[in-house]
């Protein structure tokens, strides 16, 4: 990722929150003889661990493709992103841009036992079902629990301690306060580029009151 101090995100707590809020991730490996391999899975943050530690599982075919655990991998987390029109700036000269939050997290995955993998699967299901009025939990019935125990053998769980990272939070920090305010307003209005999530992050990063 091209370094840019204006948009640098180097705060571990902020990156942890980015993972919590945006759990859909890309897993990228360079495998000798195969080249670059990419897969896409939901990721959880291990809140019981210090630093940044990721939990997830992949299908066994992906585990073999990545040779997971044999070398470093990169997990890409995507936050709010979207187009910013220069017509919103009320300033000249101006050009279009794209605002975004993203983190590249590096580490060597540690493969989990079937029992640990089952626990990760249960945490994933609980995490995403919890907001629903009637959560469909993995162990809600004996039948469901038995089914989960059978299919877990087709997946491989992993834990990845992040040993280094590169991250950016490009939210128009280089623009005057008036321009930032106009962009936030435009992103909140109905239209082809309405983007409440990006507007909210711009407001938070630039400390703009609602």
């Amino acid at each position: 990722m091209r370094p840019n101090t204006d948009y640098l995100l180097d705060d571990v707590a902020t990156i942890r929150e980015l993972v919590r809020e945006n759990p859909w991730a890309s897993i990228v490996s360079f495998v000798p003889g195969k080249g670059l391999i990419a897969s896409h899975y939901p990721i959880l943050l291990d809140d019981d661990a210090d630093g940044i530690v990721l939990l997830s599982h992949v299908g066994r075919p992906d585990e073999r493709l990545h040779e997971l655990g044999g070398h470093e991998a990169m997990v890409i987390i995507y936050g709010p992103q979207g187009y910013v029109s220069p017509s919103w700036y009320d300033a000249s000269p101006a050009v279009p841009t794209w605002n975004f939050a993203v983190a590249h997290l590096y580490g060597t995955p540690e493969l989990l036992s079937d029992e640990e993998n089952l626990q990760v699967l249960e945490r994933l299901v609980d995490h995403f079902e919890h907001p629903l009025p009637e959560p469909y939990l993995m162990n809600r019935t004996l039948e469901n629990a038995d089914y989960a125990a059978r299919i877990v053998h087709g997946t491989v769980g992993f834990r990845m301690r992040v040993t280094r990272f590169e991250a950016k939070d490009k939210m128009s920090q280089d623009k005057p306060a008036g321009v930032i305010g106009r962009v936030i307003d435009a992103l909140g209005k109905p239209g082809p580029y309405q983007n409440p999530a990006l507007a909210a992050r711009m407001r938070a990063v630039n400390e703009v009151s609602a």
Side-chain angles (χ1 to χ4, degrees):
M1 191 186 303
R2 181 173 66 90
N4 189 318
T5 55
D6 285 338
Y7 313 128
L8 181 67
L9 176 54
D10 59 1
D11 179 65
V12 169
T14 303
I15 292 175
R16 284 168 62 94
E17 193 62 27
L18 192 69
V19 176
R20 285 192 194 96
E21 295 177 352
N22 303 276
W24 184 246
S26 297
I27 304 169
V28 182
S29 303
F30 176 79
V31 181
K34 298 178 183 176
L36 289 171
I37 305 294
S39 300
H40 312 276
Y41 284 91
I43 296 284
L44 287 184
L45 188 71
D46 187 348
D47 284 313
D48 298 328
D50 294 330
I52 305 170
V53 179
L54 309 178
L55 293 170
S56 190
H57 70 174
V58 301
R60 286 199 179 274
D62 278 324
E63 180 261 334
R64 289 191 289 268
L65 281 172
H66 284 269
E67 296 181 4
L68 207 65
H71 44 72
E72 187 178 59
M74 176 174 66
V75 174
I76 305 175
I77 300 292
Y78 307 90
Q81 51 80 29
Y83 179 73
V84 174
S85 170
S87 66
W88 303 337
Y89 289 2
D90 193 23
S92 183
V95 295
T97 192
W98 204 278
N99 279 357
F100 62 92
V102 68
H104 294 178
L105 311 177
Y106 299 87
T108 301
E110 169 199 352
L111 301 189
L112 303 179
S113 66
D114 282 349
E115 181 180 352
E116 291 171 318
N117 185 22
L118 194 59
Q119 292 171 359
V120 169
L121 177 60
E122 186 172 4
R123 287 182 64 171
L124 281 162
V125 173
D126 289 354
H127 177 80
F128 294 111
E129 285 290 324
H130 180 73
L132 298 176
E134 296 183 18
Y136 195 96
L137 302 180
M138 197 174 78
N139 291 317
R140 67 193 297 264
T141 65
L142 286 175
E143 181 184 26
N144 218 50
D146 288 344
Y147 177 68
R150 289 198 304 273
I151 66 169
V152 75
H153 298 295
T155 67
V156 177
F158 71 88
R159 176 186 292 106
M160 191 181 98
R161 176 170 292 281
V162 175
T163 55
R164 61 189 180 96
F165 62 82
E166 301 168 321
K168 282 186 183 180
D169 218 354
K170 181 180 178 295
M171 296 291 153
S172 298
Q173 298 97 313
D174 59 332
K175 299 293 188 292
V179 170
I180 292 172
R182 285 190 287 275
V183 172
I184 291 173
D185 288 344
L187 291 169
K189 293 177 180 177
Y193 296 113
Q194 185 178 25
N195 194 331
L198 182 59
R201 189 159 190 96
M202 283 188 63
R203 190 174 287 113
V205 168
N206 292 289
E207 299 181 345
V208 176
S209 57

